[in-house]
Amino acid sequence: MTRGIHLEVPFTRLDHAEPALFAELMEAVEGVASGAAFILGEEVERFEAEFAAYCEARAAVGVSSGTEAIALALRALGVGPGDEVIVPANSFIATAEAVTLAGARPRLVDVDPESGTLTAKIVEAALTPRTRCVIPVHLYGRAVDDLEPIVELARERRLAVVEDACQAHGARYRGRRVGTIGHCGCFSFYPAKNLGAWGDAGAVVTDDPGVAERLRLLRSHGEHPKHRHRVSAGTARLDAIQAAVLRVKLRRLDDWTAERRRLAGALTERLADAPIDPPPEPDAEEAHVHHLYVVQSEDRNALREHLGRRGIQSAVHYPLPIHLQEAFSHLGLGTGALPAAERLARRVLSLPLFPGMTEEQLERVGRAVGEFARQREPVAAGAV
Ligand SMILES: *Cc1c(COP(=O)(O)O)cnc(C)c1O
């Protein structure tokens, strides 16, 4: 019992835990450093070609982060000042920030209470004459169920669709990779994502060569050809060291995703009797890449403390929906405005799930959640 407390189950695993991978990554970094071509260049072009092929997209443009990927996608599609962009309140703050960065105004909306994501019905109810774009978020790695109806509605109303696929590298929606169904798909390679760099990095995928060309201008001083600056844009480039790291890891991504799927299935089986709500089952086998394994509980905070006492790390994605963050208080949406997103924020808990997680770690997580349930049952039956 006391011994168990010292056996941590971390929330995720870092690259140095896998010596063969780490050695290969160091070699890739050394290669870039020896060539001293740190910004854009061949390494970035190779990664872009490989990532586009992986996503089954015509083009990928490497940028400096997932947030910049969304902001530049909006700008490349002509979304800017005076425009409204529909954003789900149940997402990472970056989805809304990117809209502000592009000079447009986020219109924060509620989500489907089951999937936690946008639906066409929600989007339709939020349309105004200023709406120019909608950003479905493939939250936790699961393709948005209602994506096709959303794209269909956007086509009718002449809106752009930018997919926030920052958590969903490789997920498929009705056979197609996410990110390729809207006009642009945006990815983050923040170290903790399923495909993570050794710093900040991101990419936009698109099938439109004109949009890809504008993205390349916007990420680097609006310059093309050399010394011709067509737009005032600044820098948001992918650097060569990150590209080299990402190329090594991209070759392993499908194996890691397969492992995440197997672990998620095994964890859901172990939690079958626990009075928590497991993550909703994906529609199709490849619809979910399990970036995060998120359960729901009315006693989320107590459950989290209980796990912490047993050396099991957990996290909350996200404790406060975007409309209740100070940064977006000017939008005037108070508590109660978007009830489904607010309910999720109170109930969600992300459990550890990562490639390399052992059977023993999985068992410990399952057992600890089960114990919490058994301890609490008598209390729940009492007059609390
Ligand atoms: C990580 C993330 C982003 C932003 O990515 P950064 O690389 O951290 O800028 C945007 N949206 C979602 C849903 C994310 O999870």
Side-chain angles (χ1 to χ4, degrees), residues 212-269:
E213 199 180 311
R214 279 199 292 285
L215 285 163
R216 287 181 213 286
L217 278 182
L218 289 170
R219 74 175 167 180
S220 189
H221 302 302
E223 186 180 34
H224 185 80
K226 192 142 183 73
H227 298 307
R228 272 284 308 282
H229 300 276
R230 291 155 185 265
V231 281
S232 177
T235 52
R237 299 175 294 232
L238 178 64
D239 71 68
I241 286 182
Q242 302 312 336
V245 165
L246 291 166
R247 290 185 69 209
V248 170
K249 291 178 137 192
L250 182 58
R251 295 196 278 272
R252 288 169 163 82
L253 182 58
D254 280 338
D255 288 345
W256 288 334
T257 300
E259 201 176 341
R260 284 178 182 277
R261 286 185 177 131
R262 181 182 63 74
L263 289 164
L267 192 50
T268 297
E269 251 172 55

Side-chain angles (χ1 to χ4, degrees), residues 65-67 70 91-92 94-95 137 164 166-167 188 190 193 201 318:
S65 73
T67 308
I70 303 168
S91 180
F92 182 49
T95 318
V137 180
D164 180 341
C166 287
Q167 301 186 353
S188 166
Y190 181 81
K193 306 284 165 139
Y318 297 92

Side-chain angles (χ1 to χ4, degrees), residues 37-40 43-44 63-64 200-201 237-244:
F38 292 109
I39 302 292
L40 297 176
E43 202 64 29
V44 170
V63 296
S64 55
D200 278 311
R237 299 175 294 232
L238 178 64
D239 71 68
I241 286 182
Q242 302 312 336

